[in-house]
Amino acid sequence: PLLALARLSFFRSFSEYWSCRFGYSDSEVALLKRIPRSTSVVVDAGANIGAYTVMLARLLPGARVFSFEPSLRTGEILRRNVALNNLNNVQLNRAAVTDRDGFLNFVDSDTGSATNHIITYPLSTAGQNGATVPTISLDNFAAKLNLARIGFIKIDIEGAEVLAIRGANRLLREKQLDLGLIELCPGNLQALGFTIFDLFFEIEARGYSLHTLSPDGSAGRRLSAKEVPTEACWNALFVPHV
């Protein structure tokens, strides 16, 4: 269903093809179709090879799509997929979305991109796939570009979601973000020293709540951190408290 809306190519492995071809539910596609066509700014944090970036840009031709992917290898495939779809409303940013502007160590696989992630251990122990990548905070990025409002953001950054939320402190506290889709994966969070309770706390402390994603793409019932199993990798919505 995804590739009917977004043409993707240049896969480096079968697993990469499989995850992009079948790794998105009908409810996620329905969610993106629900985003108002008047939306002017959307963000794809952890863009990978461009599945969400391309679909957002095609569904919202009047919006600016800001796409963040720190991997040099994956970023090149992302660029090629944006070009393949003849999109002129996408801005590609080679950076990891975290809580500050700077640099962090990163694992950048040369065979597939699904598990690329920030690391806290020394780069020398990461082997040939270790890299240093630039980082940004969404607050700083929005301020530099004078972005008054973000209509939608997708955050799937392999355990660094807590950092991304902290780096969007002003945007969230001032309710300048309308809707977010975020991955809930306790295992990935733990690798960076966080828990699922940390992620829920950071989001809820800034005036947002987490919800299930209904089949029609709307926000379902409210979630609590204790409901998320250790082995889960779910996508959930976060929206401003009513």
Side-chain angles (χ1 to χ4, degrees), residues 2 15 55-56 63 87 124 148 169 171 234 242:
L2 181 65
S15 62
M55 186 154 64
L56 284 166
L87 301 170
S124 59
N169 181 62
L171 288 166
W234 297 348
V242 177

Side-chain angles (χ1 to χ4, degrees), residues 41-212:
V41 174
V42 295
V43 172
D44 186 1
N48 204 302
I49 66 170
Y52 270 90
T53 291
V54 170
M55 186 154 64
L56 284 166
R58 293 189 66 178
L59 288 172
L60 302 167
R64 287 188 289 173
V65 179
F66 295 98
S67 181
F68 295 89
E69 174 52 54
S71 165
L72 189 62
R73 298 183 182 100
T74 307
E76 174 58 21
I77 297 175
L78 170 63
R79 184 195 65 77
R80 293 168 71 183
N81 279 324
V82 168
L84 178 67
N85 287 270
N86 298 310
L87 301 170
N88 58 16
N89 59 333
V90 176
Q91 177 181 310
L92 301 179
N93 301 273
R94 188 188 170 233
V97 176
T98 66
D99 58 345
R100 67 196 65 193
D101 294 2
F103 295 89
L104 281 173
N105 294 337
F106 188 77
V107 168
D108 187 358
S109 173
D110 55 1
T111 58
S113 55
T115 58
N116 288 348
H117 59 280
I118 289 170
I119 55 175
T120 56
Y121 49 85
L123 195 62
S124 59
T125 64
Q128 64 180 4
N129 291 329
T132 299
V133 298
T135 66
I136 63 98
S137 81
L138 289 171
D139 278 347
N140 289 343
F141 184 81
K144 289 174 184 175
L145 273 67
N146 295 313
L147 303 178
R149 179 153 229 88
I150 295 174
F152 173 78
I153 185 171
K154 184 219 81 180
I155 306 176
D156 182 354
I157 48 179
E158 301 302 309
E161 287 81 7
V162 169
L163 298 179
I165 295 298
R166 290 175 179 172
N169 181 62
R170 179 185 57 78
L171 288 166
L172 295 173
R173 290 194 181 277
E174 297 180 6
K175 299 296 185 292
Q176 293 179 334
L177 173 64
D178 294 331
L179 176 66
L181 180 70
I182 191 166
E183 185 177 60
L184 307 181
C185 189
N188 288 344
L189 291 166
Q190 185 177 14
L192 288 180
F194 300 118
T195 69
I196 194 67
F197 293 92
D198 294 327
L199 181 57
F200 271 70
F201 173 80
E202 298 289 350
I203 291 174
E204 292 173 348
R206 291 168 174 83
Y208 286 68
S209 55
L210 289 119
H211 297 258
T212 61

Side-chain angles (χ1 to χ4, degrees), residues 11 33 153 191 215:
F11 303 103
K33 289 181 177 180
I153 185 171

Side-chain angles (χ1 to χ4, degrees), residues 26-39 56 59-60 151-152 179 213-220 237:
D26 290 343
S27 59
E28 290 173 73
V29 176
L31 164 68
L32 299 189
K33 289 181 177 180
R34 291 174 68 96
I35 300 173
R37 296 301 176 265
S38 58
T39 297
L56 284 166
L59 288 172
L60 302 167
F152 173 78
L179 176 66
L213 178 59
S214 297
D216 66 355
S218 63
L237 295 179

